[in-house]
Amino acid sequence: MSLLSLNQVSAFYGPSQALFDVNFSVAEGEVVALMGRNGMGKSTTIKVICRMLQHRGGTVMFAGNDVARSPSHKVARMGVGLVPEGRRCFSDLTVYENLIAAARKGAWDFAAVAELFPRLLERRGQAAGTLSGGEQQMLAIGRALMTNPKLLLLDEATEGLAPVVRQEIWQAISKLKAQTGLAIVVVDKSLQELRGVADTAVILEKGTSVWNGAFAELSADVTDRFLGI
């Protein structure tokens, strides 16, 4: 049984349609790469899953529940953890305060997050707004993990970061895959890094899912056609 499934999902921003026909599923413990060129609907799909944007057609099911009428805070409590594009940490709060702001009981507590990202332990009492971009991204991931989700959504988690920090983030994602049963959806452009963690791939083109399958089966023809690589 799928933990998350989207079936023929459409969505709009006002009168403008952004998603036309999005279909994919995520099993428990599976890592799915959500891919596509800029403006093809990846972040919009993430917003629909988190209920920050309501879909008008199709169905979105999470953990056996139709979430069409569920507000975003309820879906978060159901087990959807979001690391949004742009990080969006609480700049005036300390690292520790950011992490406990939405924490829920479970395996992911401050000690577990600090083990995954030791730099956050070093910066525990520092205001989030004074952290580097990479440290803020680690904080955003740690904050989502401390909600103890069943599904983690990473929207462009390595965009704009220095190569060494990007590598730290990818290593953390690999650890999450290897050591936990967490399902993960990763929005990213780096085929090389995705190849090391993703089980399956979904490609969006103009708001429609145009390819869905095992990541290992992604061919050069497909990536040239839909990703411009």
Side-chain angles (χ1 to χ4, degrees):
M1 179 178 176
S2 297
L3 178 63
L4 172 73
S5 64
L6 283 74
N7 183 38
Q8 296 182 321
V9 170
S10 62
F12 291 72
Y13 291 107
S16 300
Q17 189 166 1
L19 300 182
F20 294 83
D21 186 16
V22 175
N23 301 274
F24 69 92
S25 63
V26 183
E28 293 184 8
E30 184 179 27
V31 179
V32 175
L34 183 59
M35 306 170 72
R37 297 186 183 95
N38 290 339
M40 294 300 171
K42 303 183 300 295
S43 291
T44 299
T45 299
I46 295 295
K47 289 178 181 178
V48 167
I49 295 169
C50 294
R51 311 315 297 156
M52 292 185 291
L53 178 67
Q54 304 300 313
H55 62 286
R56 291 196 196 174
T59 57
V60 180
M61 303 287 294
F62 180 73
N65 300 296
D66 186 338
V67 300
R69 299 182 182 275
S70 300
S72 57
H73 67 271
K74 183 176 180 180
V75 171
R77 287 200 300 266
M78 290 168 62
V80 176
L82 172 64
V83 181
E85 187 177 12
R87 298 178 281 274
R88 303 180 195 173
C89 299
F90 300 111
S91 60
D92 294 334
L93 299 183
T94 67
V95 165
Y96 182 73
E97 289 168 340
N98 265 274
L99 289 172
I100 66 171
R104 300 178 67 200
K105 289 183 179 180
W108 285 102
D109 55 15
F110 179 73
V113 169
E115 184 176 352
L116 184 67
F117 294 121
R119 209 177 305 186
L120 296 183
L121 179 60
E122 299 171 9
R123 305 286 193 267
R124 173 179 176 145
Q126 189 170 328
T130 66
L131 301 177
S132 69
E135 290 166 344
Q136 288 185 16
Q137 190 61 273
M138 295 174 191
L139 179 56
I141 294 172
R143 182 180 60 192
L145 289 172
M146 283 189 63
T147 68
N148 280 280
K150 299 175 183 176
L151 172 68
L152 182 66
L153 306 173
L154 298 167
D155 193 1
E156 300 285 6
T158 66
E159 185 177 24
L161 301 181
V164 64
V165 180
R166 286 172 54 88
Q167 194 59 37
E168 287 186 60
I169 300 296
W170 284 113
Q171 288 173 354
I173 296 171
S174 295
K175 287 181 181 178
L176 291 174
K177 178 181 180 179
Q179 300 175 7
T180 74
L182 190 61
I184 305 174
V185 174
V186 185
V187 176
D188 206 276
K189 299 179 180 68
S190 177
L191 277 173
Q192 181 177 351
E193 279 80 11
L194 286 170
R195 188 172 287 111
V197 297
D199 300 301
T200 60
V202 179
I203 299 179
L204 300 184
E205 176 82 2
K206 297 180 180 178
T208 299
S209 48
V210 292
W211 196 91
N212 191 335
F215 198 95
E217 296 176 359
L218 265 177
S219 67
D221 288 343
V222 171
T223 56
D224 287 344
R225 180 179 178 185
F226 297 118
L227 304 177
I229 295 173

